Amino acid sequence: MTNERQDARRRFLRAAGRMARSIPVTWAVIALVLAASIVRISMHPGRVRGGIDAFVSTGFDAVFVQHDWLSTITSVFFVWNPVVLVFAVLALLLGMGWAERRMGHLRTAISFVVVTVVGILLGLLFQAAGVVVDLYSAEITRTHRTVDPIIGVVGVVMAASAFTGPLVKRRVRIVGFAAILVFVLYSGQPSDVYRLFAALVGLLLGMAMARTRIVVRRPRATRRESRTLLAALVAVTALGPLVTIASPTGNGVLNPLGLLFRDPLRDYAAIAAHCQTSDYTKHCVNALALSRLDGPGAVLLTLLPLVALLVSAWGIQRGRRVALWLAVWINVALALLAAIYFGFFPLLSSSTYTAFQTAAAEDYRPFEIVSALVPLAIAALLVASLRLFPDQIGRGSALRFLGIVVGLFVSTSAVYLAIAYTVRDQFTPTASLGDLLLDLPERFVPVGFLSFEPADIFPTGPVAVLASQWVGPVFWVSAIVAAVVAMRRVSPLVSVSDAGRARELLVAGSGGTLSWMTTWSGNHYWFAPDGGAVAYRVVNNVAITTGDPLGRLGGHPATAHAFSTFCTDHGWTPAFYSVTEELRNELVAAGWSSMRVAEETVVHPADWSLEGKKMQDIRTSINRAVKEGVRAEWGPYSQLGPFVTAQIREISELWVAEKDLPEMGFTLGSTDELIDPEVRLMVAIGADNRVEGVTSWLPTFENGVVVGWTLDFMRRRPDSMNGLMEFLIAQTILRARDEQVGFVSLSGAPLAMSAADGVAGSAAEASAEEPTAGILSFLSRTLEPVYGFQSLLRFKMKFRPEFHELYLCYRDPLNLPNIGLALARAYLPTLSARQALRTFSTRE
């Protein structure tokens, strides 16, 4: 054991040494910052230190008035505070070190100088524009002098983002700029502005060095990644008011909004003493009221709305609509609060204190407008992202949560009013019921709000103070707990028991090769009296099923007819999609219409062989993988480890980023479906432990034993070896043969099938005799250049599979256009109207 620990320690030290040697430019910059800052900090305050400070720091007057142009580079090598120095060194080590390992030494050194000098100069020009138009914040900061090593760090990191994959690139840029903008908007110090311009310069410089072609288009991302970025945006903006608390003298445009979360009256004892010995003005009354609220309850009331936003960010990343609407409601409330606080109340009040605030507000009027508009913009972005969230997680849950919050507000308000009215003599002056009702809303907003809103009553007795302080925190804590509970519920619209019953049917062996897709997010379940079940989703009033019904095979037709009646009773059009020929024949005999929509390819491992001329491509792919050191690993997602799963997500993002249309859904799985513990992944890993490609396989059970695997998810790196997918699928078939699994289905390519001569074509072309095939033929032609369903089918034909036809069954041919549109929406749930119009018009 001791030898193993020593070996592990030596390996760690060797790896750390290699990493340290790979970032010499970073170490050089850190050495300069440490040396310069330590020398300056060690000096005694006096003329020498003041002279150094004036020489190395930068600012508007320093550059444009005193012509100290050299300060644009020297300012990033000094730090005045030892604590800040520690954070600066960590930022340099992590940020610049990460960038240098991706860009190289020379690019990192050039980037550091360019982003620093050009970024600061652009920031100074921006400040000069503010001075020209007599902007208050620009005028009061023109004499400020700045030293900040982080300016160079953020620029270099943005430059290095051009040398990363789409997943890291998008996260660095979106989260990075969101964090920078939070500081600009809430703090607004000159250093914040310099960082913003340094980041912009770094972004353009990195793209130029990487020779990246600038393409103005909406970036493509998977639904999971889009939610992750949205959650990061909400979390970063939630921390904005904390920047105001930490920077009370800031000049950012959202600094007024942050004041709602900060009590600006600091020394209550001095104010109270002044009011007792001097004139007893309304200002004193308000100050005394705030002094009564100065306690743990007030502190919690300041922070809990921010905690609620962080909780909503967590839920948004998990795909919970409750979290989305919670963030929307809080941001709308902040916007309204800002509008009322900075626009309405100062106009109404005539007190000396608020009159001063009204006068000051004239200088900050543009800031106050932004303070209300930014939360509204975030709320609008969240609402526009609603299509990223699964339906069943869920529409009703948001309304139920809203009802719970309203109930909590009413109940806590009622308890507070009852207690406060009972001890009404503990308020000054003695409170009436009307006074308590008017005072009630103030108990649920941050204390900073009360410092500018005239108070008519304030608590003096212990019970009144306790009730006034804690009614707000109790409400917010209860609402946050309710939100967490609602978010942890996996499927509010689909009961856990329904999902469990469907899985029990599948494990028992009542499903077909595609039936495991019925467990995916977005499906609802209908259960027949005889024990059968149908998985479906309603799109445009069309109930689209996924494969054959679940249950005993002989009962499928009866289950289908009963489900059709259920749909008719609800005003839906039933459409049985991707059903087998057996069910199709039964429905056609009952008067239904049908159309072939796909052809499933099935391989029987026991009879499958790599011999023969037709399998030459497969053998070549296997041999090439062995030669290049690529190995195949089999297992569930949870056992692959974070290093492998992170690369799988990155490969998926690479694949989606290349498409002109969003990620597809319905019968085409994404990274969300890989997490299922019953699903298996076959992963190709190179000699350097880099994930080259991945396939996922859905189980088919019989009496609890896996009897087949169905191909679902297929992704590969753009620069991976040729034949990688052939290698992975062949390895799965060979493994299935060794484990005596009955079949391996390569699934069916939607809207594509093989013709009699073995050439793949569209579903509508193969069913040309059906005059109602026009809409699906149009979808097939439109989506083929983007998703390549027909080429996918031709690829699967390499494995010499059997072909099983899959059908769409519908009652009335007149409903086919509506069914086709519903299928398009099911496959492309995040497709916007603009994207659809552009795509369909260009493919026509």
Side-chain angles (χ1 to χ4, degrees):
M1 182 66 71
T2 302
N3 292 334
E4 291 179 0
R5 290 179 179 177
Q6 291 177 348
D7 292 341
R9 187 181 299 110
R10 282 194 293 266
R11 287 195 298 270
F12 173 78
L13 291 175
R14 283 196 297 267
R18 287 194 300 270
M19 185 173 294
R21 289 191 297 271
S22 67
I23 53 173
V25 175
T26 300
W27 289 119
V29 174
I30 290 176
L32 287 173
V33 171
L34 282 172
S37 301
I38 290 174
V39 169
R40 187 270 172 194
I41 293 172
S42 63
M43 290 181 176
H44 293 289
R47 183 176 299 178
V48 177
R49 176 187 283 189
I52 291 178
D53 294 352
F55 178 73
V56 301
S57 58
T58 192
F60 181 84
D61 282 356
V63 174
F64 294 132
V65 177
Q66 302 169 13
H67 305 293
D68 186 8
W69 300 93
L70 189 60
S71 65
T72 56
I73 186 64
T74 59
S75 58
V76 296
F77 293 106
F78 285 83
V79 173
W80 298 158
N81 188 292
V83 177
V84 177
L85 178 60
V86 174
F87 286 103
V89 169
L90 287 175
L92 285 165
L93 181 60
L94 298 177
M96 278 197 65
W98 176 84
E100 188 172 359
R101 287 193 296 273
R102 280 148 185 82
M103 286 197 300
H105 313 316
L106 182 60
R107 290 193 185 102
T108 301
I110 294 174
S111 299
F112 184 78
V113 175
V114 172
V115 301
T116 297
V117 175
V118 179
I120 290 177
L121 287 176
L122 289 176
L124 291 172
L125 290 175
F126 180 78
Q127 192 174 1
V131 172
V132 170
V133 300
D134 198 26
L135 187 65
Y136 180 69
S137 60
E139 285 286 351
I140 65 174
T141 58
R142 62 177 297 166
T143 60
H144 288 190
R145 286 183 168 271
T146 298
V147 290
D148 184 11
I150 307 301
I151 295 172
V153 173
V154 296
V156 172
V157 168
M158 286 299 167
S161 67
F163 295 85
T164 62
L167 182 63
V168 175
K169 180 186 304 181
R170 187 163 45 237
R171 289 183 176 181
V172 168
R173 292 176 178 178
I174 292 179
V175 177
F177 274 109
I180 293 170
L181 286 172
V182 162
F183 277 91
V184 171
L185 295 174
Y186 282 94
S187 177
Q189 298 293 344
S191 59
D192 301 318
V193 179
Y194 303 156
R195 291 174 198 156
L196 174 61
F197 281 100
L200 291 172
V201 172
L203 180 66
L204 296 176
L205 179 62
M207 295 174 69
M209 291 189 298
R211 298 181 180 180
T212 302
R213 187 166 57 94
I214 299 178
V215 179
V216 180
R217 71 165 189 172
R218 181 181 176 182
R220 300 288 173 219
T222 62
R223 291 185 291 276
R224 172 180 285 270
E225 177 65 10
S226 298
R227 293 196 302 265
T228 298
L229 295 174
L230 194 64
L233 180 64
V234 171
V236 169
T237 54
L239 299 176
L242 296 181
V243 176
T244 298
I245 296 173
S247 179
T249 59
N251 303 288
V253 294
L254 291 188
N255 189 263
L257 182 61
L259 292 176
L260 299 177
F261 295 88
R262 179 173 56 85
D263 182 2
L265 301 177
R266 302 287 181 170
D267 195 348
Y268 295 118
I271 295 174
H274 174 77
C275 291
Q276 292 173 0
T277 59
S278 183
D279 54 327
Y280 195 72
T281 63
K282 186 148 183 137
H283 182 192
C284 289
V285 174
N286 292 340
L288 288 171
L290 287 171
S291 70
R292 302 298 183 185
L293 290 174
D294 185 27
V299 175
L300 284 175
L301 192 57
T302 298
L303 298 177
L304 284 174
L306 308 182
V307 174
L309 276 176
L310 293 176
V311 169
S312 69
W314 169 73
I316 287 172
Q317 196 277 333
R318 292 169 61 88
R320 303 297 187 256
R321 288 197 175 194
V322 168
L324 178 82
W325 288 115
L326 176 62
V328 169
W329 295 329
I330 293 177
N331 277 284
V332 169
L334 289 178
L336 292 176
L337 197 57
I340 294 172
Y341 179 59
F342 296 115
F344 186 66
F345 280 170
L347 297 177
L348 290 183
S349 178
S350 60
S351 68
T352 303
Y353 190 51
T354 52
F356 165 76
Q357 293 300 321
T358 303
E362 296 299 327
D363 291 328
Y364 286 89
R365 185 64 62 193
F367 292 6
E368 295 151 13
I369 295 174
V370 176
S371 297
L373 292 181
V374 168
L376 278 180
I378 295 175
L381 175 63
L382 291 168
V383 173
S385 303
L386 187 63
R387 62 182 183 274
L388 299 174
F389 295 78
D391 285 343
Q392 86 281 14
I393 309 180
R395 296 174 180 174
S397 61
L399 294 176
R400 284 194 293 271
F401 175 69
L402 177 61
I404 292 172
V405 172
V406 172
L408 287 172
F409 178 80
V410 172
S411 59
T412 52
S413 299
V415 172
Y416 166 73
L417 290 173
I419 295 175
Y421 188 73
T422 302
V423 295
R424 55 189 178 276
D425 56 337
Q426 293 188 13
F427 288 85
T428 302
T430 301
S432 66
L433 182 59
D435 294 332
L436 292 173
L437 286 172
L438 290 175
D439 180 68
L440 179 64
E442 300 172 3
R443 304 303 165 192
F444 297 91
V445 298
V447 179
F449 182 82
L450 302 180
S451 63
F452 297 100
E453 197 277 326
D456 296 319
I457 59 172
F458 56 91
T460 56
V463 177
V465 170
L466 185 66
S468 299
Q469 273 202 14
W470 288 98
V471 60
V474 167
F475 163 75
W476 278 103
V477 169
S478 301
I480 291 171
V481 171
V484 172
V485 172
M487 294 173 198
R488 290 181 67 87
R489 294 183 61 189
V490 176
S491 52
L493 286 187
V494 179
S495 68
V496 176
S497 61
D498 285 352
R501 288 174 62 187
R503 279 186 174 253
E504 289 177 0
L505 289 173
L506 290 170
V507 173
S510 62
T513 57
L514 305 180
S515 294
W516 198 259
M517 296 177 183
T518 62
T519 65
W520 290 356
S521 174
N523 286 320
H524 305 276
Y525 301 100
W526 175 85
F527 293 92
D530 63 354
V534 175
Y536 69 98
R537 61 185 68 200
V538 180
V539 183
N540 294 346
N541 283 326
V542 177
I544 308 171
T545 71
T546 303
D548 286 359
L550 306 181
R552 59 184 182 85
L553 184 61
H556 286 182
T559 301
H561 288 300
F563 175 74
S564 176
T565 302
F566 166 78
C567 293
T568 303
D569 293 342
H570 285 76
W572 302 331
T573 300
F576 288 92
Y577 183 72
S578 292
V579 299
T580 59
E581 187 172 4
E582 291 77 7
L583 179 61
R584 175 253 185 187
N585 292 338
E586 294 287 346
L587 293 176
V588 169
W592 289 59
S593 298
S594 69
M595 175 191 300
R596 290 185 293 169
V597 292
E599 199 155 25
E600 184 183 12
T601 51
V602 179
V603 173
H604 297 283
D607 303 326
W608 191 75
S609 172
L610 288 170
E611 298 177 358
K613 184 177 180 181
K614 293 183 178 180
M615 303 300 291
Q616 178 63 45
D617 287 346
I618 310 300
R619 293 195 301 271
T620 300
S621 299
I622 295 175
N623 294 332
R624 182 181 292 116
V626 173
K627 182 179 180 181
E628 296 187 11
V630 177
R631 67 184 187 276
E633 292 192 3
W634 173 266
Y637 185 88
S638 59
Q639 294 182 9
L640 294 177
F643 180 74
V644 173
T645 56
Q647 293 187 73
I648 291 174
R649 291 194 298 270
E650 181 183 6
I651 292 172
S652 182
E653 293 300 324
L654 281 167
W655 187 86
V656 173
E658 295 174 350
K659 303 300 179 184
D660 293 331
L661 290 177
E663 182 183 25
M664 299 190 76
F666 191 26
T667 62
L668 299 173
S670 65
T671 52
D672 290 340
E673 285 71 42
L674 303 184
I675 303 174
D676 190 321
E678 302 295 342
V679 173
R680 294 294 180 267
L681 275 66
M682 185 66 80
V683 185
I685 301 179
D688 56 354
N689 289 326
R690 189 181 80 151
V691 175
E692 301 293 337
V694 59
T695 58
S696 74
W697 300 87
L698 311 179
T700 297
F701 288 91
E702 186 174 309
N703 297 323
V705 178
V706 175
V707 295
W709 295 107
T710 300
L711 177 63
D712 172 37
F713 187 87
M714 297 174 61
R715 299 286 189 272
R716 62 188 291 269
R717 290 188 184 273
D719 59 347
S720 62
M721 73 171 201
N722 293 331
L724 185 70
M725 288 295 107
E726 288 90 335
F727 166 71
L728 287 175
I729 293 175
Q731 291 297 318
T732 303
I733 298 173
L734 293 174
R735 184 183 183 90
R737 184 177 63 186
D738 294 340
E739 296 179 352
Q740 298 182 347
V741 173
F743 68 87
V744 171
S745 170
L746 304 185
S747 193
L751 308 178
M753 63 179 56
S754 65
D757 57 359
V759 179
S762 72
E765 290 169 353
S767 299
E769 72 279 2
E770 301 170 11
T772 56
I775 183 66
L776 294 186
S777 176
F778 172 70
L779 288 175
S780 177
R781 295 194 311 270
T782 301
L783 298 179
E784 174 60 27
V786 182
Y787 296 104
F789 295 136
Q790 296 170 25
S791 59
L792 176 61
L793 181 57
R794 284 192 292 269
F795 162 78
K796 294 176 180 179
M797 292 169 63
K798 292 182 179 181
F799 297 89
R800 296 189 300 172
E802 293 180 357
F803 296 98
H804 298 170
E805 295 177 346
L806 300 176
Y807 295 87
L808 166 67
C809 296
Y810 50 95
R811 269 183 170 174
D812 188 349
L814 295 178
N815 289 329
L816 188 58
N818 190 38
I819 293 173
L821 293 175
L823 284 170
R825 175 57 65 183
Y827 274 113
L828 293 166
T830 62
L831 182 70
S832 65
R834 180 179 57 83
Q835 292 170 338
L837 181 63
R838 184 180 69 247
T839 301
F840 292 160
S841 61
T842 57
R843 305 296 182 193
E844 183 63 39

